[in-house]
Amino acid sequence: MNTTSTRIAVLMFLILAVACPSLAAGPETVRRKIVQGDTIRGLILGANCISSMEDYSRVREAFAGLNPDLAHSALLKPGIEVPVPVLFKGKGCLSFREQRIVRVEFEGGADMEKVFVYLDGPVLPDVFTLRQTQPVRVVCDFDGVLPEAGLQRDVDAGGRMIRKVRVGHEDKPYRRARVVLDVDEAVAGRVEQEFFEQKSLFVLTVREAAKN
């Protein structure tokens, strides 16, 4: 590109940045003062018209970028203000109705192990690791979700990496289901997550750590 075209390109970007501040300043945001019972999922759905889990995943990623210290809803302290990204507006939004975990299954493999969480609607959890505990725990918090009555709460996986899977829930300060994986840190490596929207199925995969 020659000097003239470079100057034109820079000038065009500056014009667009003035006309569209989001290009220069990141996503549009609204500030929300946290009250008792707020959840990250509720904040996102309240500020955006989410019509798919792909939409939700994009906004959740933007929320994490704006609030790197808020990995899950339990860290939302009443009285603080947080920026919430606004990426989607319109109609056909998902509701924040209460949903259920209906089944949890474990599947072993040679170099990976999986946990399948079946729900009755589309919900993506906040996933984080508690390394200060023994055994190390991978935690999946499903805000606005409860376990189905009669759901098996303890799965004795007996895998090399995933030893046990437990399901619990809390009603206060907000309703939340929690799926906890007890993992063997010595052999467990990368943790991957997938959501299959048509099946309302969340899959957590723990891969074997690379051998030196």
Side-chain angles (χ1 to χ4, degrees), residues 128-149:
F128 55 97
T129 303
L130 298 175
R131 298 191 180 279
Q132 68 272 26
T133 62
Q134 287 298 327
V136 170
R137 293 168 182 165
V138 177
V139 180
C140 308
D141 276 353
F142 293 83
D143 294 346
V145 176
L146 289 176
E148 183 84 335

Side-chain angles (χ1 to χ4, degrees), residues 2 26 33 37 55 59 64-65 68-70 87-88 91 101 105-106 119 122-123 126 131 143 149 164 181 183 194:
N2 60 37
K33 188 172 184 178
D55 291 351
V59 183
D69 296 328
L70 299 176
L87 302 186
F88 300 99
K91 299 179 180 180
I101 294 176
E105 297 177 348
F106 168 80
L119 302 109
V123 183
D126 293 327
R131 298 191 180 279
D143 294 346
K164 192 172 185 179
L181 284 60
V183 302
E194 297 177 278

Side-chain angles (χ1 to χ4, degrees), residues 23-207:
L23 291 177
E28 177 186 345
T29 63
V30 294
R31 296 195 68 83
R32 292 287 185 261
K33 188 172 184 178
I34 301 304
V35 299
Q36 190 81 358
D38 275 342
T39 66
I40 293 173
R41 181 171 180 245
L43 293 172
I44 287 174
L45 293 180
N48 292 267
C49 181
I50 303 295
S51 58
S52 69
M53 286 298 97
E54 182 180 357
D55 291 351
Y56 182 89
S57 181
R58 286 181 58 190
V59 183
R60 185 63 182 84
E61 184 177 350
F63 184 94
L66 293 168
N67 305 279
D69 296 328
L70 299 176
H72 53 90
S73 297
L75 298 175
L76 294 173
K77 303 301 181 185
I80 67 171
E81 285 194 357
V82 299
V84 181
V86 182
L87 302 186
F88 300 99
K89 301 176 182 179
K91 299 179 180 180
C93 317
L94 295 178
S95 65
F96 188 50
R97 71 177 182 85
E98 186 179 282
Q99 292 167 318
R100 296 285 193 275
I101 294 176
V102 297
R103 192 164 81 250
V104 177
E105 297 177 348
F106 168 80
E107 179 182 280
D111 58 356
M112 70 178 74
E113 294 170 352
K114 297 186 176 186
V115 172
F116 300 83
V117 182
Y118 293 86
L119 302 109
D120 65 359
V123 183
L124 283 176
D126 293 327
V127 180
F128 55 97
T129 303
L130 298 175
R131 298 191 180 279
Q132 68 272 26
T133 62
Q134 287 298 327
V136 170
R137 293 168 182 165
V138 177
V139 180
C140 308
D141 276 353
F142 293 83
D143 294 346
V145 176
L146 289 176
E148 183 84 335
L151 176 72
Q152 182 180 353
R153 299 295 188 98
D154 294 295
V155 178
D156 189 11
R160 291 191 308 113
M161 292 164 277
I162 303 174
R163 297 301 178 84
K164 192 172 185 179
V165 181
R166 292 174 285 116
V167 182
H169 79 277
E170 295 179 346
D171 292 322
K172 296 181 179 180
Y174 55 88
R175 290 194 169 182
R176 170 184 67 187
R178 172 170 282 189
V179 178
V180 180
L181 284 60
D182 292 347
V183 302
D184 187 337
E185 190 177 25
V187 292
R190 188 170 73 251
V191 177
E192 301 171 353
Q193 48 185 308
E194 297 177 278
F195 188 83
F196 299 91
E197 189 162 1
Q198 297 302 317
K199 298 180 179 179
S200 293
L201 169 63
F202 177 75
V203 181
L204 203 65
T205 302
V206 179
R207 296 188 178 275

